Amino acid sequence: ITELIITICLIIIVFKNLHYLPSLKILFIAILATIPMFLFLFYFKNLHILILILLSILIYGLLIYLLGGISKKQLKLLFSKS
């Protein structure tokens, strides 16, 4: 419940200062990408922790990209050397 209160307070602060509300579409995509990652972690919890972390990053990142949560342009900016 503490995390929920912090999230609500953060949304209020961001809106008051920036006059911006986070997109619910992006939130939905993030939740949708989290479900398969959770299922992978749940069923393969006996694997080594480093393997779990790396495969979880791969699953989540791939799903965020495929669901349109991040674009090719954003990925290029993220991995550029500037």
Side-chain angles (χ1 to χ4, degrees), residues 6-7 14 19 35 41 45 50 55 61 63 74 79-80 82:
I6 291 171
T7 302
V14 167
H19 303 289
I35 294 169
L41 288 170
K45 58 187 165 204
L50 291 177
L55 289 176
L63 286 169
Q74 291 169 323
F79 293 111
S80 69
S82 55

Side-chain angles (χ1 to χ4, degrees), residues 3-48:
E3 289 88 2
L4 180 62
I5 293 169
I6 291 171
T7 302
I8 291 170
C9 289
L10 183 62
I11 290 171
I12 291 169
I13 290 169
V14 167
F15 181 72
K16 281 185 176 182
N17 291 317
L18 301 177
H19 303 289
Y20 171 78
L21 280 176
S23 170
L24 292 179
K25 178 185 173 195
I26 299 297
L27 176 64
F28 178 72
I29 289 172
I31 291 170
L32 201 59
T34 302
I35 294 169
M37 184 185 68
F38 164 76
L39 291 173
F40 165 75
L41 288 170
F42 183 77
Y43 287 111
F44 295 100
K45 58 187 165 204
N46 293 328
L47 289 176
H48 190 274

